[in-house]
Structures are given as C-alpha cells and as structure tokens.
Amino acid sequence: MRTLRKLYELLSQVVASRYGESLQAGALVRAHYLRWTLNPLLQRTTGTAFDAGCGRGAYVARLLAGQFPAWRFLGLDLRLSVPSNHPSNLSLCVGDLQQLPMSGPFDVIYSTDVLEHLENPRALLAEFARASKKGGALLLHVPSHEERHYLPGVDREHSWLGQPGPGDAHLWHGFKREELEQWIVGAGFDLIWSRHTFGAAVSVLKELFMLGEAHRVPGIGLALFPFLTMATWLEWRLGRGRCGNGLLILAQRG
C-alpha cells in the first residue's frame, strides 16, 4: 500500500510538472488551450511576453519560459510563491493589474480568467493596448455569462475551498462574447478569432473532478487527467461550438 502511494505521488508530480502546477481540472484545461494557441506564435519569432495575472505559482509562464528560451517572459500577480530555480528568462513581479506597473512594449500579452476579478475590465484592456507593440498579440480567456452545470450537487461557489483570498472573488459572472469582442476592438485591437471553451464533455469531466475534490476522493485528478486531456484536445481540434462555459479570444494590436 505504501509503495502504491509513493508511486501515485511520483506520477502526480511528473504529470503536474509537465502540464501545470497541479492536477486541478479547470487549470489544466485553460493551460492546454493557452499553450496550444501560443506555441505557434512563439515558435515563429522571439520577443517579450507578459503573463498578466500569472497565478501564485506562475506555472504556465514557467512552462513556456522553459520551452522557449529565446523569449523573455514577465509575470505579474497579487501573490507569488514560485521556486527559486525557475527559468532565467522569466521575471516575476508582485503587483495589481489595475495599477499596471509593466510598461512594455510587449510582443505577446496573455491573461487567463482575470478580467472577471476586476471592477473595470475595459480599463485593463486599454492598458494592454498601451503596453502592446503594433502587431502584438493578445490572448484572453474568461468565463462565459451562459455558464451551465451538468451534474447534480456541483457547488457553484466552491464552498469546500474556503473563503476567497485577495483578488479571487468574481466581480463579473461571465462575459457575453459579442460585448467582449467590442471592448477589445474599442481598446485598439483587431479581432483574429474567438471561440467557446469548456463545452459539455469537458465541463462534465471538470464537474466530476469538483465533486471528487469536495468528497476527498483520493487520486481524482490523476484518474481524470487522460480523459480530460483527450476531451479538451477533441474540443480544440473539432469544436467551434456556439456555447460553452468559457471564452477564448485572440486579437492583434492595430
């Protein structure tokens, strides 16, 4: 039993280190989408990329910095707890996006599930435009206003996680696709494409993880990982659905 537990812990660490900071379902799906979109951009050239709201562990920034050593990455978040041995081409800063201390200019700005935590997301979009090079890329992921739940017993407030920390509370309960596109264009970007994420299959698997976490099911993240990755890949390759619990938008500075 002890050997199996050690094997499970080792396997979990290997998977998490390759794909993200943890096996939390929502974070893994967003990381997949982010990397699959950014990889072609980062392979074509070099420059500076800004992870706006990189998260406490800055795991996507760390993964990308390790994968693309010719790029310089900067990450900003309200709280950071990052290993000291992170890639040398990654710089991290504790700060508030609503008082953006980064001046740029950046070749790529990406931000994952951040706008919903801000009182004035349009102001941040304007700051992103100011800090972007002409022709620079902006990649955003946000929750959709048409959020759906598929499994009974899923707690929308994640109450088992405790009270939200600074900056964690949602001030916006999702965004309308057309309205957010208008905000982005109004800030000075040209829209390249937008699409829904977290369709039915991915959302069901995410909710299974949430319920497993709520009931302290051991190994739930590792058990669901291959199915969640496959469902996300199929959604990425085939899905251009009209609905989903998330929105992913790629734009370019005009």
Side-chain angles (χ1 to χ4, degrees), residues 204-222:
V204 167
L205 289 167
K206 177 190 174 186
E207 290 180 11
L208 282 174
F209 171 83
M210 292 166 64
L211 293 173
E213 283 277 279
H215 294 91
R216 303 181 185 276
V217 177
I220 186 66
L222 189 60

Side-chain angles (χ1 to χ4, degrees), residues 116 124 136 145 190 220:
E116 67 271 21
L124 181 60
H145 82 288
D190 298 323
I220 186 66

Side-chain angles (χ1 to χ4, degrees), residues 50 74-77 92-104 106 124 127 130-131:
F50 177 35
L74 289 88
L76 175 74
D77 206 271
L92 298 169
C93 177
V94 175
D96 189 344
L97 282 171
Q98 297 178 102
Q99 300 173 352
L100 190 63
M102 305 292 193
S103 60
F106 299 106
L124 181 60
E127 283 295 295
R130 179 192 59 78

